[in-house]
Amino acid sequence: MKRRGSLALLVELSRRERDRVAGIAAQAQRDLDAATKTRRMLGDYRNDYEANAPKGPARHTDALRVRVHEAFVGKLDRAIGEQDALLGHLHGRHEQQRAALSERQRRLKALETLQARRADEAARRQASNEQKQTDAFAVQAHARTRREGAHDD
């Protein structure tokens, strides 16, 4: 009985660990999604800003505006580069957490399978024991009937 209780405890602990890792993996996915959205927003903003650039051929503007524009675009490019680096890090973290979750799920499934096999094994033993008892009662009843029939003669 202790073995079955220990296995049930292992299954429960494994399930809790899997759930904990699933939460971490979900957070990694949310972080990756948010960073991807920010990167897309920065890229769109840069494209829009470039579309309205003061240095186009049809625009007449002074050198100061061009320098301010170029400085701002440079800052945007640096922000985009930093966001790309963050995305790379978050993507790696997300993949690592997905792998960890997959491993925890595999371990839990193995323990649940073992638990099911042991339960089936115990049920078969129980059924076998019950059948042996039934057979023993039938043999005793038959022997009793024969004895009673022999006494009646």
Side-chain angles (χ1 to χ4, degrees):
M1 186 70 182
K2 184 179 184 216
R3 176 184 280 171
R4 222 178 327 171
S6 297
L7 185 56
L9 179 61
L10 279 174
V11 168
E12 180 59 29
L13 291 174
S14 182
R15 188 173 287 120
R16 286 180 189 172
E17 178 64 11
R18 187 263 331 255
D19 292 347
R20 184 188 71 77
V21 172
I24 293 169
Q27 183 61 51
Q29 179 65 55
R30 285 190 297 272
D31 292 347
L32 181 60
D33 291 345
T36 300
K37 183 179 176 184
T38 300
R39 170 57 178 92
R40 190 176 304 117
M41 181 200 63
L42 285 170
D44 291 347
Y45 188 66
R46 187 188 190 291
N47 292 339
D48 289 346
Y49 198 77
E50 277 296 316
N52 297 319
K55 60 183 178 179
R59 301 185 196 255
H60 299 288
T61 173
D62 60 2
L64 178 61
R65 284 186 75 155
V66 170
R67 280 195 314 263
V68 168
H69 172 79
E70 288 175 352
F72 184 72
V73 169
K75 287 181 182 181
L76 264 177
D77 287 341
R78 281 190 299 280
I80 289 171
E82 289 173 10
Q83 195 66 22
D84 286 341
L86 178 62
L87 272 171
H89 169 75
L90 291 175
H91 182 70
R93 181 174 158 245
H94 176 252
E95 288 302 314
Q96 182 181 25
Q97 292 304 323
R98 279 184 28 169
L101 177 58
S102 179
E103 176 62 22
R104 295 311 189 288
Q105 185 62 34
R106 186 190 64 73
R107 286 180 188 174
L108 175 60
K109 184 66 177 165
L111 287 171
E112 288 173 338
T113 300
L114 179 60
Q115 187 178 40
R117 284 181 185 161
R118 286 199 178 158
D120 288 346
E121 193 178 294
R124 278 194 302 276
R125 275 194 311 272
Q126 178 70 25
S128 176
N129 288 340
E130 288 173 2
Q131 185 62 48
K132 285 177 186 177
Q133 286 178 342
T134 302
D135 291 348
F137 289 138
V139 167
Q140 289 173 1
H142 179 67
R144 202 173 324 131
T145 304
R146 282 185 66 192
R147 272 182 286 173
E148 289 172 3
H151 285 358
D152 290 340
D153 288 339

Short mmCIF file of all heavy atoms in Angstrom, two decimals, residues 103-130:
data_model
loop_
_atom_site.label_atom_id
_atom_site.label_comp_id
_atom_site.label_asym_id
_atom_site.label_seq_id
_atom_site.Cartn_x
_atom_site.Cartn_y
_atom_site.Cartn_z
N GLU A 103 9.43 18.31 -21.38
CA GLU A 103 10.09 17.31 -20.54
C GLU A 103 9.26 17.00 -19.30
O GLU A 103 9.10 15.84 -18.92
CB GLU A 103 11.49 17.79 -20.14
CG GLU A 103 12.22 16.86 -19.20
CD GLU A 103 12.48 15.48 -19.77
OE1 GLU A 103 12.47 15.31 -21.00
OE2 GLU A 103 12.68 14.53 -18.97
N ARG A 104 8.73 18.03 -18.65
CA ARG A 104 7.89 17.80 -17.45
C ARG A 104 6.63 17.02 -17.82
O ARG A 104 6.19 16.15 -17.08
CB ARG A 104 7.49 19.12 -16.79
CG ARG A 104 8.60 19.96 -16.20
CD ARG A 104 9.54 19.19 -15.31
NE ARG A 104 10.48 19.98 -14.59
CZ ARG A 104 11.54 20.60 -15.09
NH1 ARG A 104 11.76 20.58 -16.37
NH2 ARG A 104 12.37 21.27 -14.32
N GLN A 105 6.06 17.35 -18.98
CA GLN A 105 4.87 16.64 -19.42
C GLN A 105 5.19 15.17 -19.71
O GLN A 105 4.41 14.28 -19.38
CB GLN A 105 4.29 17.31 -20.68
CG GLN A 105 2.98 16.72 -21.15
CD GLN A 105 1.86 16.86 -20.14
OE1 GLN A 105 1.78 17.83 -19.41
NE2 GLN A 105 1.00 15.86 -20.08
N ARG A 106 6.35 14.92 -20.30
CA ARG A 106 6.77 13.55 -20.59
C ARG A 106 6.95 12.76 -19.29
O ARG A 106 6.51 11.61 -19.18
CB ARG A 106 8.07 13.55 -21.40
CG ARG A 106 8.51 12.17 -21.87
CD ARG A 106 9.91 12.18 -22.44
NE ARG A 106 10.93 12.52 -21.46
CZ ARG A 106 11.35 11.72 -20.48
NH1 ARG A 106 10.84 10.53 -20.32
NH2 ARG A 106 12.28 12.10 -19.64
N ARG A 107 7.58 13.39 -18.31
CA ARG A 107 7.79 12.71 -17.01
C ARG A 107 6.46 12.41 -16.33
O ARG A 107 6.27 11.32 -15.78
CB ARG A 107 8.63 13.59 -16.09
CG ARG A 107 10.08 13.64 -16.46
CD ARG A 107 10.84 14.53 -15.49
NE ARG A 107 12.19 14.75 -15.93
CZ ARG A 107 13.02 15.57 -15.33
NH1 ARG A 107 12.65 16.24 -14.25
NH2 ARG A 107 14.24 15.72 -15.79
N LEU A 108 5.56 13.38 -16.36
CA LEU A 108 4.25 13.18 -15.75
C LEU A 108 3.51 12.05 -16.44
O LEU A 108 2.92 11.18 -15.78
CB LEU A 108 3.42 14.47 -15.82
CG LEU A 108 1.99 14.37 -15.33
CD1 LEU A 108 1.93 13.95 -13.86
CD2 LEU A 108 1.27 15.70 -15.53
N LYS A 109 3.54 12.02 -17.76
CA LYS A 109 2.85 10.96 -18.51
C LYS A 109 3.44 9.59 -18.16
O LYS A 109 2.68 8.62 -18.00
CB LYS A 109 2.98 11.23 -20.02
CG LYS A 109 2.24 10.26 -20.86
CD LYS A 109 0.75 10.39 -20.66
CE LYS A 109 0.01 9.44 -21.59
NZ LYS A 109 -1.36 9.28 -21.21
N ALA A 110 4.76 9.51 -18.01
CA ALA A 110 5.39 8.24 -17.64
C ALA A 110 4.92 7.78 -16.26
O ALA A 110 4.60 6.59 -16.06
CB ALA A 110 6.91 8.38 -17.67
N LEU A 111 4.84 8.70 -15.32
CA LEU A 111 4.39 8.35 -13.97
C LEU A 111 2.91 7.95 -13.98
O LEU A 111 2.51 7.00 -13.30
CB LEU A 111 4.63 9.50 -13.00
CG LEU A 111 6.08 9.73 -12.61
CD1 LEU A 111 6.23 11.03 -11.82
CD2 LEU A 111 6.63 8.56 -11.82
N GLU A 112 2.11 8.68 -14.74
CA GLU A 112 0.69 8.33 -14.82
C GLU A 112 0.49 6.96 -15.47
O GLU A 112 -0.37 6.19 -15.05
CB GLU A 112 -0.07 9.40 -15.61
CG GLU A 112 -0.24 10.70 -14.86
CD GLU A 112 -0.85 11.81 -15.68
OE1 GLU A 112 -0.78 11.77 -16.93
OE2 GLU A 112 -1.38 12.76 -15.06
N THR A 113 1.29 6.66 -16.48
CA THR A 113 1.22 5.34 -17.12
C THR A 113 1.60 4.24 -16.13
O THR A 113 0.94 3.21 -16.06
CB THR A 113 2.14 5.31 -18.36
OG1 THR A 113 1.71 6.31 -19.28
CG2 THR A 113 2.12 3.95 -19.03
N LEU A 114 2.67 4.47 -15.38
CA LEU A 114 3.09 3.51 -14.36
C LEU A 114 1.99 3.32 -13.32
O LEU A 114 1.67 2.19 -12.93
CB LEU A 114 4.39 3.97 -13.70
CG LEU A 114 4.94 3.07 -12.60
CD1 LEU A 114 5.24 1.67 -13.13
CD2 LEU A 114 6.20 3.70 -12.01
N GLN A 115 1.39 4.42 -12.91
CA GLN A 115 0.31 4.36 -11.92
C GLN A 115 -0.88 3.56 -12.47
O GLN A 115 -1.45 2.72 -11.77
CB GLN A 115 -0.13 5.78 -11.54
CG GLN A 115 -1.10 5.85 -10.41
CD GLN A 115 -1.45 7.27 -10.06
OE1 GLN A 115 -1.61 8.11 -10.94
NE2 GLN A 115 -1.56 7.57 -8.77
N ALA A 116 -1.22 3.78 -13.72
CA ALA A 116 -2.33 3.05 -14.34
C ALA A 116 -2.01 1.57 -14.45
O ALA A 116 -2.86 0.71 -14.18
CB ALA A 116 -2.65 3.64 -15.71
N ARG A 117 -0.78 1.25 -14.82
CA ARG A 117 -0.38 -0.16 -14.92
C ARG A 117 -0.44 -0.85 -13.56
O ARG A 117 -0.88 -1.99 -13.45
CB ARG A 117 1.04 -0.27 -15.48
CG ARG A 117 1.09 -0.04 -16.97
CD ARG A 117 2.50 -0.18 -17.48
NE ARG A 117 2.57 0.16 -18.90
CZ ARG A 117 3.66 0.48 -19.53
NH1 ARG A 117 4.83 0.51 -18.89
NH2 ARG A 117 3.63 0.78 -20.80
N ARG A 118 0.01 -0.16 -12.56
CA ARG A 118 -0.03 -0.75 -11.21
C ARG A 118 -1.47 -0.93 -10.74
O ARG A 118 -1.79 -1.93 -10.10
CB ARG A 118 0.75 0.11 -10.22
CG ARG A 118 2.24 -0.05 -10.45
CD ARG A 118 3.03 0.39 -9.26
NE ARG A 118 4.44 0.19 -9.50
CZ ARG A 118 5.38 0.84 -8.85
NH1 ARG A 118 5.07 1.72 -7.92
NH2 ARG A 118 6.65 0.59 -9.12
N ALA A 119 -2.33 0.01 -11.07
CA ALA A 119 -3.74 -0.12 -10.70
C ALA A 119 -4.37 -1.30 -11.44
O ALA A 119 -5.13 -2.08 -10.84
CB ALA A 119 -4.50 1.17 -11.01
N ASP A 120 -4.05 -1.45 -12.71
CA ASP A 120 -4.56 -2.59 -13.49
C ASP A 120 -4.04 -3.91 -12.91
O ASP A 120 -4.79 -4.89 -12.79
CB ASP A 120 -4.14 -2.49 -14.96
CG ASP A 120 -4.87 -1.40 -15.71
OD1 ASP A 120 -5.88 -0.89 -15.18
OD2 ASP A 120 -4.42 -1.04 -16.83
N GLU A 121 -2.78 -3.90 -12.56
CA GLU A 121 -2.16 -5.09 -11.97
C GLU A 121 -2.84 -5.45 -10.65
O GLU A 121 -3.15 -6.63 -10.40
CB GLU A 121 -0.67 -4.79 -11.73
CG GLU A 121 0.20 -5.96 -11.43
CD GLU A 121 1.65 -5.50 -11.28
OE1 GLU A 121 2.23 -5.04 -12.27
OE2 GLU A 121 2.16 -5.60 -10.14
N ALA A 122 -3.10 -4.47 -9.83
CA ALA A 122 -3.78 -4.70 -8.55
C ALA A 122 -5.20 -5.21 -8.78
O ALA A 122 -5.67 -6.12 -8.07
CB ALA A 122 -3.80 -3.42 -7.72
N ALA A 123 -5.88 -4.65 -9.77
CA ALA A 123 -7.24 -5.11 -10.07
C ALA A 123 -7.23 -6.55 -10.57
O ALA A 123 -8.11 -7.35 -10.19
CB ALA A 123 -7.88 -4.19 -11.12
N ARG A 124 -6.25 -6.91 -11.39
CA ARG A 124 -6.14 -8.29 -11.87
C ARG A 124 -5.86 -9.25 -10.70
O ARG A 124 -6.44 -10.34 -10.63
CB ARG A 124 -5.04 -8.41 -12.93
CG ARG A 124 -5.49 -8.01 -14.30
CD ARG A 124 -4.50 -8.44 -15.37
NE ARG A 124 -3.16 -7.92 -15.21
CZ ARG A 124 -2.76 -6.74 -15.63
NH1 ARG A 124 -3.60 -5.93 -16.24
NH2 ARG A 124 -1.52 -6.34 -15.44
N ARG A 125 -4.97 -8.83 -9.81
CA ARG A 125 -4.68 -9.68 -8.63
C ARG A 125 -5.93 -9.85 -7.77
O ARG A 125 -6.23 -10.95 -7.32
CB ARG A 125 -3.55 -9.07 -7.79
CG ARG A 125 -2.18 -9.43 -8.26
CD ARG A 125 -1.10 -9.10 -7.23
NE ARG A 125 -1.16 -7.77 -6.67
CZ ARG A 125 -0.57 -6.70 -7.20
NH1 ARG A 125 0.12 -6.81 -8.31
NH2 ARG A 125 -0.68 -5.53 -6.62
N GLN A 126 -6.65 -8.76 -7.59
CA GLN A 126 -7.89 -8.81 -6.80
C GLN A 126 -8.90 -9.74 -7.45
O GLN A 126 -9.51 -10.58 -6.79
CB GLN A 126 -8.48 -7.40 -6.65
CG GLN A 126 -9.78 -7.33 -5.90
CD GLN A 126 -9.61 -7.62 -4.42
OE1 GLN A 126 -8.53 -7.43 -3.86
NE2 GLN A 126 -10.67 -8.08 -3.79
N ALA A 127 -9.06 -9.62 -8.77
CA ALA A 127 -10.00 -10.48 -9.49
C ALA A 127 -9.56 -11.94 -9.40
O ALA A 127 -10.40 -12.84 -9.23
CB ALA A 127 -10.12 -10.04 -10.95
N SER A 128 -8.26 -12.17 -9.51
CA SER A 128 -7.74 -13.54 -9.43
C SER A 128 -7.99 -14.12 -8.03
O SER A 128 -8.41 -15.28 -7.90
CB SER A 128 -6.24 -13.54 -9.74
OG SER A 128 -5.70 -14.82 -9.58
N ASN A 129 -7.75 -13.31 -7.01
CA ASN A 129 -8.00 -13.77 -5.63
C ASN A 129 -9.48 -14.08 -5.42
O ASN A 129 -9.83 -15.07 -4.79
CB ASN A 129 -7.52 -12.75 -4.61
CG ASN A 129 -6.01 -12.67 -4.53
OD1 ASN A 129 -5.31 -13.60 -4.93
ND2 ASN A 129 -5.50 -11.56 -4.03
N GLU A 130 -10.34 -13.23 -5.93
CA GLU A 130 -11.78 -13.45 -5.80
C GLU A 130 -12.19 -14.73 -6.53
O GLU A 130 -13.02 -15.49 -6.05
CB GLU A 130 -12.57 -12.25 -6.32
CG GLU A 130 -12.46 -11.04 -5.41
CD GLU A 130 -13.09 -9.79 -6.00
OE1 GLU A 130 -13.66 -9.85 -7.12
OE2 GLU A 130 -13.02 -8.73 -5.34
#
